[in-house]
Amino acid sequence: MLALRSAALAHKACAARLAAPWMRTYASYPTHTVINMPALSPTMTQGNIGAWKKQIGDSIVPGDVLVEIETDKAQMEFECQEEGYLAKIILEQGSKDVPVGTPMAVMCEDQADVSAFASFTAGPAAPAETAPAAAAAPAAAAPAPAAAATPAAPAAAAAAGSRVFASPLAKNMASQHGLALNSIAGTGPNSRIVKADVERTLASPPAPAAAAAAAAAAPAPAVATKPPQSSAASALPAHETPFSDVPLTNMRKVIASRLSESKATIPHYYLTATVNMDRVLKLREVLNGKLSSGKLSVNDFVIKASALALVDVPAVNAAWWPETGSVRQFHRADIAVAVATESGLITPIVRGAEAAGLAKISGDVKALAAKAKKNALAPHEFQGGSFTISNLGMFGSVEHFTAIINPPQAAILAVGALDEKVVRVPAADGSNAFDVQQVMKVTLSCDHRVVDGAVSAQWLASFKKYMEDPLNMLL
């Protein structure tokens, strides 16, 4: 069983279920465990193999790191939770785009049996309940060596009335397109339905029953038809622009897929407000003078004000939830903060921000951002959230922009840069005076299925109240 080194026990159990290494007894091999590529997030359908921390023949005890896996979000270390010996590495370091459920390695119980797996090759992973039948079958000839493991083939669609396992994203997609989950063949561990299974079903026209199994077993066509190209590798006509193709990372593929899905399926609308930042900046200066370490940023105040506004207007702290035919309202403000990394954008989450002090929010954001840039976030640190903030204003040159909603959330706040604005200030004698204020533009993107315009306007008014009179955040 596999689990994340840095995740809590609940997440270790979840990762172990998703990894689903099946114990099999073959007539031609000693008792062993096949370790498969796990699905570590609802959006993960494939991963890349990093460095193996154990070599063939090495002893493994619970807590030992076995391998690094690059998921769609981060580079993660995996620990083994069982004792044994590494008998075979099926997928070497550097293996790319390995489908979930593909055998990666073999572990046996007795060190003396390691040599017996030198020529071991793995076929499609079978569900655990079929293993006894496979063990009882007559012994076949020793399998011939193969260059690489064969990806797991899609299982047959679930029978009507039986329990169906599916990722949340797959459930949402199936519900939106009117597909019954028991009509979709799952390719994840334990026949779990993932996003790619729904997409494959949508792309395939209904087929006769006799051809359904063959159609489900057929591999999905690859999008890329050529390897990455470079103009330096061949003579380029003078009128064409020189170029180099940059291979897509797993994270970039997921970003492209999720944001395309968001813009195509979610009815976005946008509201923009200008916030007077003078009082926030003065309070920040005072508080930073009292802190012994670390400094509060403007973004820390934005996170706190957003969380309190979600408490005031809980209808925005919600998500479209078609699998239960409802809008799901969250009872805590878990704020996802967009962080740019070399691999792409990721949104670590500040949990319970409405109840946290500014210093704690600041410390949490700094720690999460540092881990994100090292690809070291655990799944529970970036999965979920009820509201997202994207702050491009910190780069100084972005006055205003609109952000794409992070599904299944119903809203995201885009924060622009600070700017100076001349405003008219009426004097007591009725004459006009002028003053210079520090202002900031924010734009709220909302899902109109969940949040009506009047409700989002109330949220923006509440947000402005906290930002323009920040002492309210401290009460």
Side-chain angles (χ1 to χ4, degrees):
M1 305 288 284
L2 297 177
L4 274 172
R5 161 178 275 177
S6 57
L9 292 176
H11 293 90
K12 287 188 175 183
C14 177
R17 290 195 300 272
L18 292 172
W22 291 289
M23 179 70 73
R24 296 181 180 175
T25 302
Y26 293 88
S28 54
Y29 291 104
T31 300
H32 61 278
T33 299
V34 176
I35 302 172
N36 300 317
M37 172 65 76
L40 299 174
S41 72
T43 59
M44 180 180 171
T45 59
Q46 57 189 18
N48 299 336
I49 303 295
W52 285 94
K53 301 302 184 181
K54 293 289 183 178
Q55 302 302 316
I56 293 175
D58 285 356
S59 172
I60 300 172
V61 297
D64 283 352
V65 175
L66 188 64
V67 64
E68 292 179 348
I69 294 179
E70 180 191 346
T71 71
D72 54 348
K73 296 292 186 181
Q75 185 92 3
M76 299 182 182
E77 288 185 337
F78 283 86
E79 295 176 353
C80 195
Q81 297 301 306
E82 294 182 355
E83 294 187 10
Y85 296 87
L86 186 59
K88 178 76 174 182
I89 294 177
I90 300 172
L91 298 178
E92 296 292 341
Q93 178 178 345
S95 298
K96 302 286 187 182
D97 300 332
V98 179
V100 166
T102 301
M104 300 189 301
V106 177
M107 187 170 70
C108 64
E109 297 178 355
D110 192 337
Q111 189 174 22
D113 294 333
V114 170
S115 60
F117 293 87
S119 61
F120 179 92
T121 57
E129 57 267 27
T130 64
T150 304
S162 63
R163 185 177 180 184
V164 178
F165 296 93
S167 71
L169 181 59
K171 289 180 181 178
N172 284 343
M173 290 182 64
S175 176
Q176 290 170 2
H177 291 89
L179 291 176
L181 288 175
N182 60 13
S183 69
I184 303 172
T187 58
N190 291 335
S191 300
R192 186 170 182 256
I193 297 170
V194 295
K195 177 186 174 185
D197 301 323
V198 181
E199 291 176 337
R200 185 185 61 252
T201 303
L202 291 171
S204 303
V223 174
T225 57
K226 296 180 180 179
Q229 308 287 313
S230 172
S231 58
S234 59
L236 189 72
H239 65 276
E240 291 192 18
T241 305
F243 68 90
S244 294
D245 290 346
V246 179
L248 295 175
T249 63
N250 283 347
M251 181 182 288
R252 179 55 55 189
K253 292 176 183 177
V254 171
I255 290 171
S257 174
R258 285 179 61 79
L259 296 188
S260 296
E261 176 192 348
S262 176
K263 286 294 286 184
T265 62
I266 296 177
H268 287 60
Y269 70 94
Y270 312 96
L271 292 84
T272 300
T274 300
V275 181
N276 183 345
M277 296 293 291
D278 286 346
R279 291 184 179 179
V280 161
L281 295 176
K282 290 178 182 178
L283 178 60
R284 173 174 173 257
E285 182 180 0
V286 171
L287 294 178
N288 280 339
K290 296 181 178 296
L291 291 175
S292 58
S293 61
K295 299 294 182 182
L296 299 178
S297 69
V298 170
N299 205 47
D300 300 329
F301 287 86
V302 171
I303 293 170
K304 181 66 175 180
S306 297
L308 292 174
L310 291 174
V311 174
D312 292 347
V313 189
V316 179
N317 196 29
W320 181 253
W321 219 261
E323 60 192 82
T324 58
S326 62
V327 169
R328 176 163 293 183
Q329 285 199 358
F330 300 105
H331 299 160
R332 188 176 67 188
D334 289 347
I335 307 296
V337 182
V339 175
T341 71
E342 291 184 0
S343 302
L345 192 69
I346 193 167
T347 52
I349 299 165
V350 179
R351 307 278 180 183
E354 81 283 4
L358 288 165
K360 184 178 187 308
I361 289 174
S362 182
D364 287 351
V365 170
K366 288 181 175 67
L368 290 168
K371 292 180 71 174
K373 291 178 180 179
K374 295 178 182 177
N375 288 330
L377 288 172
H380 72 278
E381 292 175 317
F382 61 80
Q383 291 178 4
S386 62
F387 185 88
T388 298
I389 293 172
S390 179
N391 188 345
L392 293 181
M394 65 178 64
F395 296 101
S397 59
V398 180
E399 178 182 339
H400 166 261
F401 70 104
T402 58
I404 300 173
I405 293 171
N406 182 20
Q409 297 170 14
I412 180 171
L413 185 70
V415 181
L418 292 172
D419 194 11
E420 290 186 345
K421 179 181 179 182
V422 178
V423 297
R424 182 176 64 86
V425 182
D429 60 1
S431 62
N432 290 325
F434 294 90
D435 191 17
V436 177
Q437 294 180 352
Q438 291 278 344
V439 298
M440 180 180 74
K441 287 186 178 180
V442 294
T443 299
L444 183 67
S445 305
C446 292
D447 181 346
H448 216 321
R449 300 173 302 179
V450 179
V451 184
D452 291 332
V455 175
S456 55
Q458 292 172 21
W459 186 92
L460 264 183
S462 180
F463 174 81
K464 279 194 65 173
K465 175 190 71 176
Y466 289 113
M467 292 297 290
E468 295 185 344
D469 192 1
L471 289 178
N472 287 319
M473 299 188 203
L474 308 181
L475 298 177

